[in-house]
Amino acid sequence: MESNAVSAHEPNRRLELTPERMRELGYRAVDMVVSHLATLRQQSVGRTAPRAELEKLLRKPPPEQPAAPLDVLEALGRDVLPNTLHVNHPRFFGFIPSPGNYVSAVADFLAAGFNVFAGTWLAGSAVAEIELVTIDWLRQFCGLPETAGGLFVSGGSVANLTGLAVARQVRLGGRTAGAVVYYSDQTHSAVERGLRTLGFEPPQLRKIPADRRLRLSPETVRREIAADRAAGRVPFCLVANVGTTNTGAVDPLPELAALCRDERLWLHADGAYGAAAALSPRARPLLAGLEQTDSLALDPHKWLFQPFEIGCLLVRQAGWLRQTFTVHPEYMKDTFRPEAEPNFCEWGVQLTRSTRALKLWMSLKVFGVDAFRRAITEGLGLAELAEAELRRRPGWRIVTPAQLAIVSFRYEPSGMPPEDSEAINRRLVEKMRDDGFALLTSTILNEQTVLRLCTINPRTTHDDIRQTIARLAGAV
Ligand SMILES: Cc1ncc(COP(=O)(O)O)c(C=O)c1O
């Protein structure tokens, strides 16, 4: 019987497919991705399925017997992929979207297909060179000195963790006792999680209430530092936000950098989503001071349009990475190289690692940096358009104006009791999610629910924004 199941006649026990079957599966997968991407605007923003439904659909014993690859692919397309939110959808405005791009998806496929090992120069020399080059491009975009270096990691959380580990090593010799870290209450939870992972305890963390513009006030930090010094503690590191997740606020970097110099503090910046805006001439002035950071986390899987997972850490002196992470086990002795040929496994916590650099490098080459620059600038304008659309409708209050492609707002008509307005705003998020046309998420600012749109997808049109605001108004 003719079947496309992997049969005993095929080299299944070697976990191989025949070249024909490999092509068939690969071409079909490409077709699925291309159809998905080409019709994304016409689709809903995706679906969150209830656990019970997914258990029924997907809970099966381990599959002892082989199945036809195309059947498995079909089930994936039917049962799995539609039951996710499409974070690359042009009307996905929630959290920080990940617009992604097709070229980088192909690069990820190539990286997996060739299974390139990017942990050592010996195994992955050319991809290590591509990582050095691509990291250097990001260094240039952010204005860090030529002494700077960095590496790609899984995302912003690990980039922050890695940067803070470097700070701890370089400034404290790895000891945390008595050291204090300063950051605002608008800082992403990844920073606190990273600090906890590194052994800092709650009394060592100064989470300082942000000012009226939701930025870290240098004066307040200065007072906290003085109090800590007076109490015999060791002020050690300040974490600045380069685009908060809540509102896109950027902490006053030049003043904070000066403060860190005066007080001999390490300046780490979390630019997971915002630092990419350094590429846009419109946003660049907002990010002044970025070049003065000792370590900087940024996330190409956000505003540099890469598919998950790719985060990046840049540090002011490339040598700090080795100083923090090098260990030389005997079974790796064949991999030791001259310093000019680095082993990225000595620059971070991962030994075995894929080449995340490849996708960023390939997409920058295919589209060109100017396309990225324009795409980022376009995102800034989309949030401004959303703000303008909301301002001209009665009942809507702009809570924070468009900054770094985030606008936050509330439905709050005059005379409406605060509890009612709170309930309406909460309900709006659910209504929009149920509707599926566009997705936005909420946050809390000054103890109130606030809606926010993050408009970093370069495929979002002005019409998408206008229609989304109209639907939102219609859902009140
Ligand atoms: C400002 C900021 N920092 C850190 C993170 C964490 O990054 P990741 O989710 O890539 O680990 C995010 C994620 O949205 C973020 O917006």
Side-chain angles (χ1 to χ4, degrees), residues 309-378:
E309 302 176 351
I310 178 169
C312 167
L313 173 71
L314 297 176
V315 295
R316 195 163 194 77
Q317 300 284 345
W320 289 340
L321 293 168
R322 252 175 138 240
Q323 183 182 339
T324 307
F325 295 107
T326 292
V327 186
H328 279 170
E330 66 286 359
Y331 44 82
M332 296 282 288
K333 77 184 196 24
D334 300 334
T335 70
F336 302 152
R337 314 288 298 183
E339 214 160 298
E341 297 177 350
N343 289 325
F344 276 99
C345 68
E346 296 182 58
W347 287 22
V349 292
Q350 254 186 300
L351 166 57
T352 298
R353 57 202 292 276
S354 174
T355 170
R356 297 186 173 98
L358 197 65
K359 54 184 163 187
L360 182 56
W361 179 82
M362 191 165 159
S363 55
L364 281 166
K365 281 187 85 79
V366 168
F367 296 113
V369 174
D370 195 50
F372 280 70
R373 195 175 283 129
R374 284 166 193 269
I376 292 167
T377 304
E378 179 64 20

Side-chain angles (χ1 to χ4, degrees), residues 96 154-158 160 188 190 243-245 270-273 299 301-302:
I96 307 290
S154 57
S157 301
V158 174
N160 279 305
H188 195 277
T244 63
T245 316
D270 180 6
Y273 111 85
D299 240 2
H301 65 203
K302 296 185 169 72

